[in-house]
Amino acid sequence: MDALFSDFADAQREGNGNKLAQTISPAHSDEKLRAIWKSCNAHSVKDVLKHHIHNSSSGKNRLPQEEVKGWVEVFFCYWKAIDDILAVQDSATNGKASHSSWTTVYESWKDLLSALHRGYLSNGFEAWTIPCLYVAGKHLRVFAIKADRERNSNASFDSAAAANFEDDFNPESEQNQKLEDCARQLNRVFNLCLSDRAPIDESRKWGIYYVINLLFKTYFKLNSATLSKNVLKALSAGKGDMPPLIAFPKSQQVTFNYYEGVLHFLEENYVEAERHLTEAWNLCHKGAMANKELILTYLIPCHLLTTHTLPSQKLLEPYPRLQRLFAPLAQCIKKGELHAFDLALQDGEDEFVKRRIYLTLERGRDIALRNLLRKVFIAGGFEEAKEEGAKPVRRSRVSIAEFAAAISLGSQETIDNDEVECLLANMIYKNLMKGYISRERGMVVLSKNGAFPGTGV
Amino acid sequence: MGPTWQPVPPPPGTSNTMAAPYPAPAYTPVQVRQTFGQPYPTTSQPSPPYAFGLYPPHSITPTASYTNPPPATMNPAPAPAQEMEPPKKKVDWPISVRHYVQRSFLPANMDPTVTREEMEAKLKETITQANIKDLMFSVDWSTMSLPQEMIREERERSRKLPQEMRQLHIPDNMSPTRPVAYSPPYANSGSKKRKSSDLSESAPWRAGNGGGRLEDRVSFTSDRGQQQQSAQEPAAPATTSAKSKFQKQLEKRQKRFDGGYKSTYRSPSPPPSTGPVVGTCQDLEKRYLRLTAPPIPSKVRPEPVLRQALEHVKRKWKSEQNYNYACDQFKSIRQDLTVQLIRNEFTVEVYEIHARIALEKGDIGEYNQCQTQLKALYQRGLKGRETEFKAYRILYFIYSANRTALNDVLADLTPAEKKDAAIKHALDVRSALALGNYHRFFRLYNDTPKMGAYLMDMFVVRERLAALCNICKAYLPSVPLRFVTEELYFESDSEAAQFILDHAGREVLVEKDDGDVIVKTREACRPFEAARAAAFGRIDIKGQI
């Protein structure tokens, strides 16, 4: 307890928010938590805390009475939460049944967050202390997930179903009860930061991207990514007097860019998506492999659609999982193997759908087709030279039948000419191929200069 | 306002007072329910104890059985309050006493300002007294004041003196746990400034409230004390918030009357049941009316009647095809199912049939409502035409271009479902459109299982436009009209010609010497492009690279 409050006093003296936040973190060693917990009992805890907090500041830095009161509440909640955390851990290690569960931990941690919330609203906590909000919010999310997992593994199906008489019965929300509650709490914190009208350098707005990132994570986990749009809307509405993203730590920048990129990605807004994801990629710490992998999961499909380029072997090298994910498809696209592409897509469907990249990758088929048609064009060879020494010109009139043969080569299924024409029309419409179809002659007349833009022929 | 009054336990003692011509301004008018936010008070009552404790935690278990008594129960559940206060000597409590105890704890009679402990103490006192005085069998327990009423009366007496100064009237929803001194109506009459006086009253430390007589402050502090006491029971505030608006109004009204009159409830008929309604209506046809009050059993049809009603509506639909009538009937059937919490295969059937009819008549709003309910019902494991409706869902998301939802649907499909004909068809449609393969899309359109065609009709126009854009850009110099007809599955050349005329104008169609009609593609490109952009509207902005 003494160590805790000497840190607290230091942080208060220095105005060091991160240090302060550490004092209410539950992520300390077991011994440390236990020491804090043991240093007082339920009876005396408030007095002890009051004493410590009161003495942690002196002179003109002395904390105002109101603030002291606020912090006593916060640490009181912290102490109770530790009590619950230790109890859960004990029952896990000893296998002893106990009344405590991650749900109780969640609830007591929620009290802590509320105490902080009140602290800002009515006890005059200063803006530099907002890292505390972040730490509290971060762990609230962790506890919520643990509580949901624990409950789902214990709960029997019947109790959930029988107890619910609401009309809009939704098993999913039943499963994520605490996490949904957590999202609501974080949203409160978001508004707490957003609505602060103090001048910018002492504003809680400096907590904004921290909270947003926590909210994004929670919404994505809840499978309701669309809710993130509301956050972005509220953010852009107050953009004018918001501290710039660039002024936040890189970790927060990367996270925010990543989620904003993915949100654009999900809306098929690939250009914007690519911009944000590239930003995240560039800022990402080079050792943060898991994060880099996540960014690439979306950046690679983006890139495939915007620039028609495939990831190189070298890029994928360090990520075996991405290699498994993308390498087969990339291979097929490169070689123009249409049928193999379909099979590879089918093969990875579950994985792709899970990552929400299936619908995007599916469109890679266009590139595979383009490459196949290009091969047909090249195989067609050159026109007979009209005069000696002239630059050879490729045969630019290709019959539909030739393309049809190429397309059915892989699958060995005959495909009717009208459908081939349809595919060709698509290529032309999407500017992947230049030329026109002559319905009368059953021919495609390709452009003499650059029949397949961007591919060198 | 009529219906809201209905389920009040008919209190003969107060029935006069209800009608008594007290100046209306003395009362906060009872609002008629305006929204369905909390659809039926009956459904909010039996909510799971852990969701929102209706009562302070320590009393959850015993009260739980009371919050959810079997509707129209003939043999009431054993009174748990008795278990809680085991009689010192073995006494065989008469049934009338049991009923009295039971009545005390009925949620409708509960008073948030009276804690459970107080009630239990009072009950004990009353019954013991009766026992000692040997009045157990002579007292008319059915007219005996409830403990909460006695407590309120006592409180009232204790603050008789300062009463006139303190016209405290805090709306319930603001402060459910605050013990409110309800002044008798006459003291209130004409006081239009109640609100502002409330404000100052609620903050006793503020200077200049009502003259600041000592008694005021004394009694007020005692109030505050109680308030704090109840505030220590964490679930208490949630109590009222979890209660339905209707119930709050009930309590409010009851308190208002109790304030001035020692009302004794003689309630021969049971108070409104808090479980689901069980209907008694036998009509086959019933007009749909949005509920603005709790359902009345005599106007709700039980399941067997609903089954007959469904058959009846089906027959009528087949013979008359009157959608307005059918929709109305289906909505009332659905409503009756909902208020009675009937969720079984029959429910599924009702929603499925309504969904189909709505689909057929292009009533997307109703269709969507049904579809949403069906999804939840299937998720509960109820059997129905799940694959058929999953296929519709996919088609619907294609129509609404809801990519996120599409991805979710894909993620939810089991391998077996993917092999189902209807679902496979819907998936093929999706993939054909994703790849711009209009050729295949229109083949699929022509061969849609079940009622999917009604859904595809909703986006076939825009897909035809998209296909024509493709064709016009890719083919030169022209294509035969017949090609368009066949490729885009128009019924006839004239239908195709009409479509082209409508969207691109007369100039693009040319009749050749041999009688064949051709479409001049170069000229048609621009108008089709514009029409396509308009047809896809907002959707088109996305997905372009």
Side-chain angles (χ1 to χ4, degrees):
Chain A
M1 189 64 98
D2 288 335
L4 182 74
F5 282 101
S6 90
D7 285 349
F8 180 81
D10 287 350
Q12 285 285 354
R13 198 171 49 248
E14 298 163 17
N16 185 338
N18 289 322
K19 200 172 204 173
L20 189 70
Q22 277 313 300
T23 61
I24 59 156
S25 167
H28 293 305
S29 69
D30 207 32
E31 296 86 62
K32 188 167 176 190
L33 289 184
R34 210 167 285 276
I36 294 171
W37 179 67
K38 273 188 182 156
S39 61
C40 45
N41 57 38
H43 183 64
S44 66
V45 58
K46 277 209 173 179
D47 292 331
V48 174
L49 290 172
K50 199 167 180 179
H51 169 79
H52 274 297
I53 291 168
H54 195 76
N55 291 345
S56 65
S57 56
S58 57
K60 70 175 180 5
N61 287 331
R62 181 169 281 287
L63 280 177
Q65 205 52 41
E66 274 302 307
E67 254 185 87
V68 172
K69 237 162 85 186
W71 284 114
V72 170
E73 274 308 311
V74 170
F75 278 97
F76 177 59
C77 294
Y78 178 57
W79 183 81
K80 281 207 297 198
I82 290 180
D83 183 16
D84 291 328
I85 292 170
L86 291 174
V88 173
Q89 283 173 352
D90 284 351
S91 74
T93 47
N94 308 340
K96 261 191 293 178
S98 87
H99 290 297
S100 49
S101 60
W102 285 112
T103 305
T104 35
V105 172
Y106 173 81
E107 292 301 336
S108 50
W109 198 258
K110 187 165 114 187
D111 291 342
L112 169 73
L113 188 64
S114 302
L116 272 173
H117 195 276
R118 273 197 305 280
Y120 287 98
L121 281 186
S122 42
N123 296 75
F125 285 9
E126 284 174 38
W128 64 265
T129 60
I130 40 171
C132 294
L133 270 180
Y134 176 64
V135 167
K138 192 170 88 175
H139 290 286
L140 185 72
R141 189 175 158 271
V142 173
F143 294 142
I145 293 171
K146 282 185 174 169
D148 284 336
R149 197 182 297 145
E150 180 186 63
R151 198 187 51 253
N152 292 334
S153 66
N154 296 338
S156 62
F157 174 76
D158 299 37
S159 68
N164 197 321
F165 286 97
E166 298 297 316
D167 286 316
D168 46 353
F169 174 80
N170 182 359
E172 227 167 82
S173 78
E174 193 63 36
Q175 256 176 29
N176 293 319
Q177 223 182 60
K178 291 297 166 208
L179 197 59
E180 284 190 355
D181 183 57
C182 172
R184 280 190 289 278
Q185 302 305 322
L186 290 174
N187 211 7
R188 276 176 72 211
V189 176
F190 172 67
N191 285 320
L192 177 75
C193 293
L194 189 73
S195 61
D196 190 8
R197 288 169 193 275
I200 192 68
D201 38 339
E202 52 196 65
S203 166
R204 289 193 294 268
K205 286 194 170 123
W206 284 100
I208 203 84
Y209 283 104
Y210 291 92
V211 190
I212 290 179
N213 287 337
L214 284 177
L215 265 176
F216 280 173
K217 276 185 202 177
T218 312
Y219 286 147
F220 271 77
K221 177 108 184 165
L222 284 173
N223 231 345
S224 41
T226 37
L227 288 177
S228 315
K229 302 297 288 178
N230 302 338
V231 174
L232 287 180
K233 252 182 245 154
L235 183 69
S236 70
K239 201 95 194 171
D241 40 27
M242 208 59 71
L245 176 61
I246 201 129
F248 284 79
K250 271 194 185 152
S251 57
Q252 302 296 333
Q253 292 184 43
V254 171
T255 313
F256 183 78
N257 269 315
Y258 166 75
Y259 280 113
E260 197 172 8
V262 174
L263 285 170
H264 283 299
F265 181 91
L266 294 178
E267 298 204 321
E268 303 195 303
N269 193 348
Y270 295 115
V271 178
E272 273 296 290
E274 188 173 6
R275 195 167 65 81
H276 287 285
L277 289 170
T278 310
E279 183 82 9
W281 172 255
N282 289 337
L283 289 171
C284 194
H285 190 278
K286 70 178 190 324
M289 296 304 279
N291 285 348
K292 280 163 81 175
E293 190 174 308
L294 278 175
I295 296 171
L296 282 181
T297 308
Y298 297 96
L299 192 50
I300 289 174
C302 251
H303 222 60
L304 174 64
L305 290 198
T306 50
T307 64
H308 307 154
T309 46
L310 294 165
S312 70
Q313 197 59 39
K314 190 165 156 268
L315 179 75
L316 291 181
E317 196 91 57
Y319 312 97
R321 223 166 42 86
L322 291 183
Q323 240 169 356
R324 269 202 314 281
L325 214 55
F326 292 123
L329 278 181
Q331 196 72 1
C332 301
I333 293 175
K334 202 167 192 166
K335 292 190 178 164
E337 289 172 346
L338 216 48
H339 184 63
F341 176 89
D342 291 342
L343 293 181
L345 193 68
Q346 215 173 20
D347 225 32
E349 183 177 327
D350 290 345
E351 193 70 14
F352 296 142
V353 167
K354 208 173 101 198
R355 288 166 210 282
R356 298 182 172 276
I357 50 177
Y358 178 82
L359 301 178
T360 309
L361 288 175
E362 187 185 34
R363 292 165 68 165
R365 195 177 194 268
D366 280 343
I367 315 300
L369 179 62
R370 196 265 319 264
N371 291 350
L372 177 67
L373 300 181
R374 182 174 171 273
K375 277 185 170 176
V376 175
F377 176 63
I378 290 172
F382 295 91
E383 305 258 6
E384 273 177 46
K386 286 192 179 118
E387 43 189 276
E388 283 298 308
K391 200 167 165 256
V393 179
R394 288 194 184 276
R395 189 167 64 94
S396 58
R397 288 159 185 255
V398 186
S399 82
I400 301 288
E402 284 179 55
F403 286 123
I407 290 172
S408 53
L409 198 62
S411 64
Q412 297 296 325
E413 285 168 21
T414 44
I415 170 169
D416 99 58
N417 273 5
D418 281 346
E419 187 166 353
V420 175
E421 283 185 25
C422 167
L423 293 175
L424 293 171
N426 258 290
M427 288 289 111
I428 296 171
Y429 187 70
K430 289 174 183 162
N431 267 335
L432 289 168
M433 187 168 101
K434 276 176 115 176
Y436 66 90
I437 306 169
S438 168
R439 175 84 188 159
E440 262 182 333
R441 296 184 204 132
M443 284 277 198
V444 179
V445 181
L446 288 160
S447 165
K448 286 204 163 62
N449 30 28
F452 293 91
T455 65
V457 290
Chain B
M1 211 188 266
T4 30
W5 287 83
Q6 205 83 28
V8 182
T14 51
S15 57
N16 291 333
T17 29
M18 278 195 188
Y22 282 102
Y27 299 94
T28 334
V30 178
Q31 284 171 359
V32 174
R33 286 175 55 82
Q34 301 281 1
T35 62
F36 266 162
Q38 233 175 342
Y40 313 107
T42 45
T43 54
S44 73
Q45 270 298 326
S47 45
Y50 58 81
F52 11 60
L54 277 167
Y55 300 98
H58 58 84
S59 64
I60 277 173
T61 352
T63 21
S65 62
Y66 274 100
T67 60
N68 192 10
T73 173
M74 294 313 288
N75 43 344
Q82 260 184 289
E83 291 153 26
M84 294 187 42
E85 39 160 349
K88 299 227 165 55
K89 42 182 177 167
K90 185 90 176 108
V91 179
D92 208 0
W93 302 111
I95 191 81
S96 55
V97 177
R98 288 168 190 257
H99 280 300
Y100 171 69
V101 173
Q102 196 179 347
R103 194 155 55 88
S104 309
F105 286 93
L106 277 173
N109 294 338
M110 288 305 255
D111 183 346
T113 65
V114 180
T115 66
R116 200 183 166 83
E117 286 90 334
E118 285 177 288
M119 274 178 66
E120 276 165 18
K122 192 81 208 166
L123 262 182
K124 204 168 175 178
E125 188 195 328
T126 316
I127 299 174
T128 325
Q129 282 297 320
N131 198 22
I132 292 167
K133 293 179 190 158
D134 227 354
L135 293 169
M136 203 58 120
F137 290 88
S138 50
V139 169
D140 184 359
W141 289 103
S142 64
T143 56
M144 189 74 178
S145 294
L146 295 177
Q148 52 266 54
E149 290 160 10
M150 296 185 202
I151 291 167
R152 276 197 302 263
E153 277 168 35
E154 278 169 20
R155 286 186 192 163
E156 200 61 29
R157 250 176 275 135
S158 74
R159 62 173 76 107
K160 261 275 146 52
L161 254 177
Q163 202 172 44
E164 269 149 43
M165 297 305 297
R166 309 181 53 256
Q167 297 173 6
L168 196 60
H169 198 110
I170 298 165
D172 261 20
N173 51 359
M174 277 176 62
S175 159
T177 53
R178 186 169 304 183
V180 179
Y182 283 92
S183 40
Y186 58 81
N188 265 343
S189 54
S191 160
K192 294 208 165 169
K193 290 180 181 167
R194 194 156 10 134
K195 206 164 180 184
S196 60
S197 80
D198 281 350
L199 279 177
S200 58
E201 284 285 337
S202 64
W205 54 87
R206 274 190 210 156
N209 62 338
R213 273 165 46 178
L214 187 60
E215 298 93 313
D216 290 358
R217 273 177 270 153
V218 169
S219 65
F220 206 96
T221 29
S222 79
D223 266 0
R224 302 257 317 155
Q226 278 168 2
Q227 182 188 336
Q228 273 160 10
Q229 187 189 355
S230 48
Q232 275 161 9
E233 295 158 14
T239 306
T240 349
S241 67
K243 280 182 191 164
S244 68
K245 200 167 158 193
F246 170 73
Q247 199 163 4
K248 279 187 227 156
Q249 285 169 357
L250 250 186
E251 285 171 359
K252 205 165 162 185
R253 192 177 317 125
Q254 211 167 304
K255 268 183 251 162
R256 216 182 303 133
F257 286 116
D258 291 348
Y261 297 90
K262 293 160 195 125
S263 58
T264 41
Y265 289 114
R266 217 179 295 120
S267 47
S269 60
S273 75
T274 47
V277 181
V278 170
T280 56
C281 177
Q282 297 294 318
D283 300 346
L284 277 192
E285 292 189 16
K286 178 183 150 187
R287 294 230 52 185
Y288 170 73
L289 271 177
R290 233 184 130 131
L291 283 178
T292 51
I296 300 156
S298 64
K299 302 219 167 128
V300 173
R301 296 165 290 180
E303 188 180 329
V305 180
L306 289 173
R307 283 179 187 270
Q308 292 168 24
L310 177 66
E311 290 310 313
H312 175 71
V313 181
K314 268 159 70 179
R315 265 198 309 277
K316 268 205 146 178
W317 168 250
K318 271 187 202 131
S319 57
E320 292 173 17
Q321 292 277 312
N322 179 348
Y323 179 67
N324 283 342
Y325 165 81
C327 181
D328 193 63
Q329 291 302 314
F330 268 106
K331 281 174 85 93
S332 75
I333 295 179
R334 279 162 47 187
Q335 187 183 55
D336 285 354
L337 288 170
T338 309
V339 298
Q340 300 178 86
L341 296 184
I342 299 174
R343 278 199 209 98
N344 52 28
E345 257 116 72
F346 173 64
T347 320
V348 173
E349 196 188 340
V350 169
Y351 278 101
E352 282 177 351
I353 296 174
H354 192 188
R356 289 199 196 100
I357 292 179
L359 207 51
E360 190 179 330
K361 292 295 163 190
D363 186 350
I364 289 305
E366 283 303 324
Y367 164 76
N368 259 335
Q369 280 184 26
C370 295
Q371 178 71 280
T372 313
Q373 279 297 313
L374 280 172
K375 186 177 178 234
L377 291 168
Y378 294 141
Q379 257 171 349
R380 299 188 125 199
L382 293 172
K383 294 276 173 298
R385 309 291 165 137
E386 189 169 358
T387 49
E388 176 188 341
F389 280 86
K390 266 204 177 163
Y392 296 159
R393 269 175 85 73
I394 297 172
L395 291 176
Y396 180 78
F397 288 139
I398 295 171
Y399 162 66
S400 59
N402 189 340
R403 221 175 91 99
T404 325
L406 261 182
N407 192 82
D408 289 341
V409 176
L410 285 185
D412 284 346
L413 289 176
T414 62
E417 284 174 332
K418 284 182 198 168
K419 290 202 185 85
D420 174 85
I423 290 182
K424 190 169 180 322
H425 171 270
L427 290 176
D428 287 344
V429 169
R430 187 208 61 76
S431 117
L433 284 183
L435 298 171
N437 193 333
Y438 53 81
H439 178 85
R440 193 183 300 167
F441 170 78
F442 287 105
R443 279 349 70 163
L444 289 164
Y445 172 58
N446 192 40
D447 187 24
T448 310
K450 306 207 172 94
M451 303 187 70
Y454 288 106
L455 281 160
M456 289 187 74
D457 279 341
M458 298 198 299
F459 53 93
V460 84
V461 168
R462 76 177 190 214
E463 294 307 335
R464 278 186 173 141
L465 287 170
L468 276 167
C469 285
N470 257 311
I471 290 171
C472 289
K473 191 170 175 201
Y475 289 88
L476 274 182
S478 65
V479 287
L481 179 65
R482 174 51 58 82
F483 169 68
V484 174
T485 309
E486 285 173 359
E487 199 63 359
L488 306 189
Y489 261 83
F490 285 107
E491 295 275 318
S492 62
D493 281 354
S494 58
E495 195 196 337
Q498 191 58 50
F499 187 85
I500 293 170
L501 285 178
D502 287 349
H503 293 96
R506 180 159 295 279
E507 313 76 63
V508 303
L509 284 177
V510 177
E511 189 168 354
K512 287 201 299 185
D513 299 338
D514 57 3
D516 283 353
V517 180
I518 57 164
V519 183
K520 292 205 286 183
T521 50
R522 201 189 296 271
E523 288 77 4
C525 228
R526 285 244 316 248
F528 276 131
E529 204 53 67
R532 187 195 87 108
F536 276 81
R538 189 182 60 86
I539 297 152
D540 191 48
I541 301 165
K542 297 179 196 165
Q544 294 297 302
I545 39 173

